[in-house]
Amino acid sequence: MRDAPTGPPPGRAAPGRATATAPRDRGIPGGARRTAWLLAVAAVAYNAWLLEFLLPTGLDPRHSYVSELYAADQPFHALFGTVEIVTALLVAAGAAPLTGRPESGLAPEAGRWAVAGQWALVAFAASSVADVVVPMRCAPSVNPACEAVNPWHTATSALAHAALFASMALMVAAAARGTRWPLIRRWGPWVLGAALGTSVCTVGALIGRPGWHGVPQRAHLLLVGAWLALLAVSLGSRRIGGSRRIGGSRRIRGRGRHRAG
């Protein structure tokens, strides 16, 4: 006759025995993955101005604004204007789902700054769309009679830059006070500083000092693309923590020893 097993009752671990758990679930959420892809594509599309080296635009990249590519009288205005709008929609779609909830790993104050930075990114996208809706009437770099300062277009461009730099500053500040986004914490201040510097160097034509403003502006656009790529990697790498037991609530238990009767 066999005695009953001496193991613990179901649902309770044996004394002195370790409870086996599965590795932490660290899969990337679908929303974060979607955000990463949207912002990564936007980073590339934002620099579609590189197509000017393949197309007969008639503009000199050294002395022209990129916005002249989609000026109303330019042959490829529809192409570059469409790319600009699509890029803005990608940025807005990538940032909008994140607004309203602070990122995990951030202190409450830093989380609020992060949300504000993401809303600023949405405002940047909206201003970029407005930039295309009210384009330059002509290209001043090739048409001396064309006004360099189009009031509406200049205003929308200024709003886009203000929203962009606000987003950068807020996200960098949030990263500096949280445990997430190490890439933004390390490289964000450098990208922000360089983007500000190159942006200032583009105002020559607006104050009657044209020439060579196209070089720093294109460098600025490359830096904005780098910023979007940085956001794509950082926001897309959010992970879900938490332990998960094998088989739900099951535990690994040793078999009870049996005595021969």
Side-chain angles (χ1 to χ4, degrees), residues 46 70 81-92 121-135 153 156-157 160:
Y46 195 78
Y70 53 87
T82 300
V83 172
E84 185 81 0
I85 290 176
V86 170
T87 303
L89 293 177
L90 288 170
V91 171
L121 200 61
V122 174
F124 163 67
S127 300
S128 297
V129 172
D131 220 25
V132 178
V133 173
V134 286
H153 182 79
T156 56
S157 295

Side-chain angles (χ1 to χ4, degrees), residues 60-65 68 136 139-149 200-216:
D60 188 337
R62 298 170 299 175
H63 309 300
S64 64
Y65 286 117
E68 293 182 48
M136 303 177 77
S141 65
V142 294
N143 183 0
C146 182
E147 58 183 358
V149 179
V200 170
C201 292
T202 66
V203 302
L206 302 179
I207 58 176
R209 303 286 182 180
W212 294 100
H213 51 276
V215 175

Side-chain angles (χ1 to χ4, degrees), residues 161-202:
H161 279 83
L164 171 67
F165 292 131
S167 174
M168 285 183 168
L170 289 165
M171 300 289 275
V172 167
R177 289 162 174 78
T179 59
R180 298 280 179 160
W181 306 342
L183 290 177
I184 294 179
R185 187 163 56 248
R186 179 177 181 182
W187 298 108
W190 295 100
V191 176
L192 172 57
L196 275 169
T198 52
S199 179
V200 170
C201 292
T202 66

Side-chain angles (χ1 to χ4, degrees), residues 4-113:
T6 59
R12 297 180 59 185
R17 294 179 184 271
T19 299
T21 57
R24 293 172 66 86
D25 184 4
R26 296 227 175 238
I28 299 177
R33 187 182 298 111
R34 210 162 35 246
T35 293
W37 277 110
L38 288 169
L39 293 178
V41 174
V44 176
Y46 195 78
N47 285 284
W49 58 267
L50 290 167
L51 291 173
E52 69 181 344
F53 295 110
L54 303 176
L55 300 172
T57 63
L59 301 176
D60 188 337
R62 298 170 299 175
H63 309 300
S64 64
Y65 286 117
V66 170
S67 54
E68 293 182 48
L69 291 169
Y70 53 87
D73 66 341
Q74 294 304 296
F76 299 102
H77 70 95
L79 170 63
F80 287 103
T82 300
V83 172
E84 185 81 0
I85 290 176
V86 170
T87 303
L89 293 177
L90 288 170
V91 171
L98 301 171
T99 57
R101 65 175 188 273
E103 292 288 327
S104 58
L106 297 177
E109 182 182 0
R112 289 191 291 270
W113 288 358

